[in-house]
Amino acid sequence: MTSISTTVSLLLLLLLSTTNATTLSSDITALKAIKSAINPTTIPSYSCLSSWNFTSDPCSNPHITHFLCALSCSNNRVTQLTFDRAGYAGTLSPLVSQLTQLITIDLSDNKLSGPIPTSLFSLPNLQTLNLRSNSFSGTIPPTISTLKSIQTLDISHNSLSGSLPNSLSSLTLTRLDLSFNKLTGPIPKLPVNLLELALRSNSLYGFLPNPSFNELTQLEVVELSDNSPTGTIPTWVFLLPSIQQLNLANNSFTGIEISKPLNSNLIAVDAGYNKIVGDLSVNFSEYPMLSSLTLRYNKLRGPIPSEYSRKVTLRRLFLDGNYLNGMPPKEFFSGKLSVSGSLGDNCLKSCPASSELCLKSQKPSSICRQAYGGKVK
């Protein structure tokens, strides 16, 4: 009985010591500064920050009335800072850097503004930084390279400007999303561990640089639409070892090179709404897993290769808005394939109006004659 009583007493003492845990004073100072930097009129009564009352210890358990959410602790240190989507406005306090055990920061879908404090980039254990859908401004400083543990970085849907720092390449990132900002300049060398890259809707320009991508053997998703790169889409983009999805739509590309793959996991390609000239390459049909191909609204000419209509993996095909001519492959309309998309607004002959692919009418013959120097094949 004495042994059991002693064990129970020890357990109670352990529970009591856990319940009355004391958060490191520097962490408390940082949390106070973070809340003070938020406009109090944007802290609803039902929100997480409303429950931050410093008469309680932030890391004590259980949380019954205070610190109900927005942070997590381990060993009396704050390890996660995760705001709810309450519409908080204000800035991010530079004292966030005192939370040196942070693993995750997620402040997404609020109304925070001002520059991202450079002190944040000194956090040694930070693995996830999500500032998506706020109003952060300023540039991405080269000191971002000091985030030695970072794996996921999402600062999309903000107002960041300037160019991408060359120091990005030293990060351990697997997912990078800087879409919907005001970033300019060329694409620098990228982190070699990337699985997903999203830079959509910025003002990036220049050619697609091979040195920026050539070591990215794990890259699966590339989202570069709605920028301003020029020149030819090079064949090496389609031959990246792990690439599955490639979106280069709404840019200023004028050409495309596509060679036969030795082995490929490529599933979807979108290079629509560019200025690509030349013939429609038959080599797209050689990609064994390709199921979605969009080349709409370019300046492509010539016939549609019959190999496209015999490709059983193809499910979506958008070739509308070009100057393709000749007869469309009859296999598209045999009922044996299930392909959605459009072949309209071209110079094709006898595209069956009964087919969904041909619902959009072809270009007037006068435009087609002009495109082919007075001749329509």
Side-chain angles (χ1 to χ4, degrees), residues 34 41 90-91 94 100 108 144 156 186 213 242 257 262 276 287 291 310 326 330 362 375:
I34 288 168
T41 65
T91 60
T100 57
S108 58
I144 194 172
S156 61
F213 289 84
S242 301
E257 296 175 349
L262 295 176
I276 299 170
Y287 285 74
S291 66
R310 296 195 292 270
K330 61 183 179 180
Q362 300 297 309
K375 298 179 181 179

Side-chain angles (χ1 to χ4, degrees), residues 351-366:
C351 200
S354 58
S355 170
E356 178 190 337
L357 291 171
C358 301
L359 287 180
K360 190 183 297 184
S361 61
Q362 300 297 309
K363 284 181 168 66
S365 57
S366 59

Side-chain angles (χ1 to χ4, degrees), residues 37-191:
I38 304 299
N39 184 336
T41 65
T42 66
I43 302 178
S45 59
Y46 57 80
S47 68
C48 287
L49 286 187
S50 180
S51 73
W52 283 21
N53 185 321
F54 292 94
T55 60
S56 255
D57 189 84
C59 288
S60 65
N61 283 306
H63 294 125
I64 298 174
T65 57
H66 300 153
F67 294 99
L68 299 179
C69 47
L71 62 84
S72 299
C73 297
S74 178
N75 297 321
N76 303 338
R77 298 299 307 277
V78 177
T79 56
Q80 292 191 30
L81 184 65
T82 307
F83 282 6
D84 48 334
R85 300 174 180 180
Y88 302 125
T91 60
L92 178 57
S93 170
L95 291 187
V96 67
S97 62
Q98 290 187 184
L99 302 174
T100 57
Q101 296 304 305
L102 276 176
I103 297 172
T104 300
I105 297 177
D106 186 346
L107 312 180
S108 58
D109 296 285
N110 280 288
K111 299 178 181 179
L112 302 176
S113 58
I116 300 168
T118 55
S119 62
L120 182 151
F121 301 130
S122 67
L123 291 170
N125 301 301
L126 193 65
Q127 297 178 18
T128 298
L129 176 59
N130 187 352
L131 304 177
R132 176 187 175 92
S133 295
N134 280 283
S135 297
F136 287 107
S137 58
T139 61
I140 302 173
T143 52
I144 194 172
S145 62
T146 56
L147 286 174
K148 297 301 184 183
S149 301
I150 196 73
Q151 296 178 18
T152 298
L153 178 61
D154 187 345
I155 319 180
S156 61
H157 296 266
N158 279 280
S159 297
L160 300 179
S161 58
S163 58
L164 296 172
N166 292 325
S167 57
L168 274 178
S169 62
S170 65
L171 298 178
T172 56
L173 282 171
T174 57
R175 289 172 174 82
L176 173 63
D177 193 344
L178 298 173
S179 302
F180 295 95
N181 278 287
K182 301 175 182 178
L183 299 168
T184 60
I187 300 171
K189 194 170 182 62
L190 297 164

Side-chain angles (χ1 to χ4, degrees), residues 1-13:
M1 289 296 293
T2 303
S3 176
I4 294 174
S5 177
T6 302
T7 302
V8 171
S9 298
L10 289 172
L11 287 173
L12 287 172
L13 284 172

Side-chain angles (χ1 to χ4, degrees), residues 109-373:
D109 296 285
N110 280 288
K111 299 178 181 179
L112 302 176
S113 58
I116 300 168
T118 55
S119 62
L120 182 151
F121 301 130
S122 67
L123 291 170
N125 301 301
L126 193 65
Q127 297 178 18
T128 298
L129 176 59
N130 187 352
L131 304 177
R132 176 187 175 92
S133 295
N134 280 283
S135 297
F136 287 107
S137 58
T139 61
I140 302 173
T143 52
I144 194 172
S145 62
T146 56
L147 286 174
K148 297 301 184 183
S149 301
I150 196 73
Q151 296 178 18
T152 298
L153 178 61
D154 187 345
I155 319 180
S156 61
H157 296 266
N158 279 280
S159 297
L160 300 179
S161 58
S163 58
L164 296 172
N166 292 325
S167 57
L168 274 178
S169 62
S170 65
L171 298 178
T172 56
L173 282 171
T174 57
R175 289 172 174 82
L176 173 63
D177 193 344
L178 298 173
S179 302
F180 295 95
N181 278 287
K182 301 175 182 178
L183 299 168
T184 60
I187 300 171
K189 194 170 182 62
L190 297 164
V192 297
N193 294 326
L194 273 184
L195 301 175
E196 299 177 13
L197 171 67
L199 297 171
R200 181 179 182 181
S201 293
N202 282 285
S203 297
L204 301 172
Y205 56 78
F207 298 104
L208 281 183
N210 192 350
S212 298
F213 289 84
N214 63 358
E215 296 180 21
L216 276 59
T217 58
Q218 302 175 73
L219 188 62
E220 298 175 353
V221 178
V222 172
E223 170 59 86
L224 292 176
S225 62
D226 298 283
N227 281 282
S228 300
T230 56
T232 297
I233 301 174
T235 191
W236 58 259
V237 174
F238 305 102
L239 299 176
L240 288 168
S242 301
I243 197 70
Q244 297 180 22
Q245 300 177 44
L246 183 61
N247 190 347
L248 302 172
N250 289 84
N251 286 302
S252 298
F253 292 112
T254 55
I256 188 168
E257 296 175 349
I258 178 78
S259 58
K260 294 181 180 181
L262 295 176
N263 188 21
S264 175
N265 296 316
L266 189 63
I267 296 172
V269 173
D270 188 347
Y273 295 96
N274 278 281
K275 303 173 183 178
I276 299 170
V277 299
D279 294 337
L280 185 57
S281 175
V282 69
N283 288 335
F284 275 118
S285 65
E286 299 290 334
Y287 285 74
M289 299 178 67
L290 189 66
S291 66
S292 178
L293 176 62
T294 300
L295 294 167
R296 65 195 318 184
Y297 291 95
N298 280 285
K299 299 179 180 181
L300 295 169
R301 296 156 55 101
I304 300 173
S306 60
E307 287 84 352
Y308 282 34
S309 64
R310 296 195 292 270
K311 184 168 179 53
V312 295
T313 63
L314 196 61
R315 292 291 178 266
R316 297 176 74 252
L317 180 64
F318 287 90
L319 301 176
D320 48 315
N322 285 285
Y323 296 92
L324 301 172
N325 65 5
M327 301 283 288
K330 61 183 179 180
E331 290 86 355
F332 279 135
F333 318 111
S334 65
K336 296 180 181 179
L337 292 176
S338 178
V339 179
S340 63
S342 179
L343 306 179
D345 197 16
N346 277 291
C347 297
L348 298 170
K349 293 181 179 179
S350 304
C351 200
S354 58
S355 170
E356 178 190 337
L357 291 171
C358 301
L359 287 180
K360 190 183 297 184
S361 61
Q362 300 297 309
K363 284 181 168 66
S365 57
S366 59
I367 292 178
C368 293
R369 280 194 298 270
Q370 183 179 3
Y372 284 90

